[in-house]
Amino acid sequence: MITATVKEVDMLDKPEDVFDRGREWAAITRAVESDRAGSSLGLVYGRRRQGKTYLLEALVEAAGGLYWPALRQSSAQNLDRLAAAYGRHTRARAGVRFSGWEEAFSALLALGDGANEPLPVVVDEFPYLLEGDPGIPSALQALLSPRGPAAQRWRTRLILCGSALSTMRGLLAGTAPLRGRAELELVVHPFSYRDAAAFWGVAGDADVALRLHALVGGTPAYRDMCGGTAPAAADFDRWVADRLLDPASAMFREGNVLLAEEVRPLDAAMYFSVLAAVSAGRTRRGEIAATVGRAEGALAHPLTVLAEAGLVEALPDALRQRRTTFHVAEPVMRLHQLVIGPNEGRLVRHHGPEVWAEVADTVSARIYGPHFETVARVWCAEHATASTLGGVASRVAPTVVACPEHRSNHEIDVVVTETATGRDDRVIALGEAKWTSRPSTVDQLERLDHLRAVLRLDDAVRLLLFSRHGFSRGLHAAADSRHDVELVDLERLYTGS
């Protein structure tokens, strides 16, 4: 537990040991430093191991206040622990006892009574408290009544933090008691692909950075769980075998743990089946249903839960909004479904290097390739300039186009759409991402030219070619002679716009 009673540094100065998280720090400190006369409520949540606790502990150290983490214990045990922490914080001479959670939170809010500056009070792992007493939100609703002393005078900034996403979201949903009471609702996400490269120290090698991100994503704690070491190009495969596929590694069973944190044990088989289908490239609802042997209607709940947990992403088709495809959003889950789970028997017998070599084609086609497409879409949405795209990226998604000439469907990895007031949405760019061992050729450009014509789009619509191994001389020459073609290699993906 961390407590502090003296404001040590300017809250606006993010501590140097907090990597990135500038926006999150600004949002939290803005809420805490608010000049409002009374108390306020804030929610901070996100999947485990994203650095929420680290961020909030740093806040309390910087601002003064109280940080207290709930444990998965009985309600009475947590009440006793909170009372002890409250007593230490207030330097109470007599032992402190709380008769219930309403009294406990009333005492926490009253810590800001008479304070010269706002006082942050952080209750971490708040969902654990709800397991013992689901009536706590109603008690907080009463305590934060607009005409009560907490809202009128006490300058406490109460922050509730948790990792159970559905529970935390539910606190402010619909007719929930705390609906309309919170000033802050901050979701802490994994690092973006560029931030993750910097965090792991591999920003200087874009190929290593992308492969690493495709396997472990942007969760900060995974670096420590991998021994604090990052792979180099020369020993990448050995690093994967040692850090991800070794049964003694902390990462080996992370896929199981992530899912168990969001679903009930009895439902696990269904959720794992859905994840396995999506990981294997069954991205449409009908394809998933056929793979798991269930009716499409039976997938609504598991797909919703997986999407809310950040494990699966639902992407509306770029050109047909009612058509949705599903993609794995958490790389560790994909690694577990495609590599670790199917080969667990051999991996626990320490055959990681052999298994990794054997699944190389699967990894390339089902992990690196799809991830490269995802990163290409993120680049268009977050990093590419208007001059690159020929407009502003309002929406970026994949699509499937029916081609009368070839009598088949063609997938397009990237469709960039611009939305502007007073006119219809317009497609401004089409893109294709190739994760191959050879440079992309003019054939890929000709394919995009053809698809642009099939869609009857203007010749001004940009054609974006993303390639792991660069581009052939012929493709470079073709691109140089045209105004509508952009070539994006890994270096540009990580550093350019």
Side-chain angles (χ1 to χ4, degrees):
M1 182 189 319
I2 295 177
T3 61
T5 56
V6 179
K7 188 169 182 175
E8 299 170 356
V9 297
D10 187 343
M11 291 171 57
L12 294 177
D13 294 333
K14 182 169 67 74
E16 293 182 359
D17 61 343
V18 176
F19 179 84
D20 192 52
R21 300 304 189 198
R23 293 179 180 177
E24 292 85 348
W25 182 262
I28 295 173
T29 54
R30 185 166 56 247
V32 168
E33 286 192 317
S34 169
D35 289 334
R36 65 183 296 168
S39 297
S40 66
L41 174 67
L43 268 59
V44 176
Y45 58 93
R47 287 211 322 269
R48 294 192 186 282
R49 294 173 280 283
Q50 303 307 323
K52 304 182 300 296
T53 294
Y54 197 82
L55 194 68
L56 293 172
E57 286 180 343
L59 172 72
V60 170
E61 290 177 348
L66 172 65
Y67 168 85
W68 178 76
L71 298 180
R72 190 158 245 165
Q73 296 179 340
S74 70
S75 188
Q77 288 172 309
N78 272 315
L79 266 178
D80 288 343
R81 291 181 53 255
L82 178 56
Y86 177 88
R88 288 192 295 271
H89 179 80
T90 58
R91 296 185 175 89
R93 294 186 177 181
V96 177
R97 298 282 295 178
F98 294 135
S99 61
W101 288 109
E102 184 171 0
E103 181 183 0
F105 276 100
S106 178
L108 291 179
L109 289 168
L111 287 173
D113 186 14
N116 293 325
E117 297 191 15
L119 183 78
V121 174
V122 176
V123 176
D124 205 350
E125 298 296 357
F126 182 68
Y128 289 166
L129 302 185
L130 300 183
E131 292 177 3
D133 190 344
I136 293 177
S138 294
L140 278 172
Q141 178 190 32
L143 291 170
L144 293 169
S145 171
R147 298 190 63 82
Q152 291 288 320
R153 300 191 307 273
W154 302 344
R155 304 194 68 193
T156 302
R157 305 295 181 247
L158 178 62
I159 297 176
L160 307 178
C161 181
S163 301
L165 302 188
S166 57
T167 299
M168 295 299 293
R169 286 195 185 100
L171 292 174
L172 305 180
T175 59
L178 293 177
R179 174 76 173 175
R181 290 285 194 264
E183 179 179 319
L184 170 72
E185 183 179 11
L186 175 66
V187 183
V188 180
H189 296 285
F191 289 141
S192 69
Y193 74 95
R194 287 188 174 183
D195 289 337
F199 182 72
W200 279 82
V202 294
D205 190 327
D207 188 80
V208 167
L210 195 138
R211 283 187 288 160
L212 178 62
H213 194 257
L215 298 177
V216 301
T219 295
Y222 289 165
R223 187 179 66 178
D224 287 341
M225 292 171 66
C226 289
T229 64
D235 68 349
F236 191 92
D237 294 335
R238 169 54 63 180
W239 183 92
V240 170
D242 290 345
R243 299 300 182 180
L244 303 182
L245 306 184
D246 191 306
S249 166
M251 294 293 295
F252 186 73
R253 292 177 176 82
E254 180 66 5
N256 281 331
V257 173
L258 281 179
L259 188 59
E261 289 173 348
E262 287 296 327
V263 303
R264 299 188 305 274
L266 292 178
D267 297 332
M270 178 61 158
Y271 289 89
F272 275 122
S273 297
V274 171
L275 280 167
V278 177
S279 298
R282 310 297 189 264
T283 60
R284 302 178 193 173
R285 193 183 295 267
E287 294 174 339
I288 300 169
T291 302
V292 303
R294 295 290 186 92
E296 287 190 36
L299 299 180
H301 180 68
L303 284 172
T304 297
V305 171
L306 291 171
E308 290 180 347
L311 303 180
V312 164
E313 179 184 18
L315 282 179
D317 186 282
L319 303 179
R320 288 175 286 179
Q321 293 300 301
R322 293 185 179 181
R323 178 177 178 176
T324 300
T325 55
F326 297 88
H327 305 260
V328 176
E330 174 47 63
V332 166
M333 293 302 305
R334 185 169 49 203
L335 176 70
H336 179 86
Q337 293 298 318
L338 294 176
V339 178
I340 296 177
N343 299 287
E344 186 169 357
R346 294 178 63 201
L347 291 174
V348 297
R349 296 196 300 273
H350 305 285
H351 291 289
E354 295 91 337
V355 168
W356 185 243
E358 292 168 10
V359 299
D361 289 343
T362 296
V363 170
S364 179
R366 296 300 178 196
I367 295 181
Y368 293 150
H371 196 75
F372 188 40
E373 295 168 10
T374 297
V375 171
R377 289 191 286 268
V378 172
W379 182 82
C380 290
E382 298 183 4
H383 302 293
T385 63
S387 61
T388 293
L389 300 176
V392 177
S394 303
R395 187 173 67 252
V396 185
T399 192
V400 176
V401 178
C403 176
E405 179 180 337
H406 297 112
R407 296 182 180 181
S408 62
N409 292 329
H410 297 301
E411 296 183 0
I412 303 179
D413 303 327
V414 179
V415 179
V416 185
T417 305
E418 180 182 66
T419 300
T421 304
R423 72 181 186 196
D424 294 337
D425 293 357
R426 67 186 185 103
V427 174
I428 58 175
L430 302 178
E432 182 169 3
K434 286 293 183 182
W435 185 265
T436 59
S437 57
R438 297 179 179 179
S440 292
T441 65
V442 175
D443 292 342
Q444 276 79 57
L445 177 57
E446 292 174 348
R447 178 178 184 273
L448 281 182
D449 268 325
H450 172 68
L451 293 176
R452 184 171 62 182
V454 170
L455 291 172
R456 298 181 181 180
L457 296 174
D458 190 276
D459 288 346
V461 170
R462 300 295 171 86
L463 304 180
L464 314 174
L465 291 164
F466 299 85
S467 175
R468 176 193 181 189
H469 280 293
F471 311 94
S472 68
R473 291 182 180 179
L475 182 50
H476 270 294
D480 289 342
S481 67
R482 298 172 55 166
H483 68 281
D484 60 337
V485 178
E486 294 285 344
L487 305 183
V488 185
D489 58 12
L490 291 183
E491 188 67 26
R492 185 175 179 186
L493 201 66
Y494 271 87
T495 62
S497 57

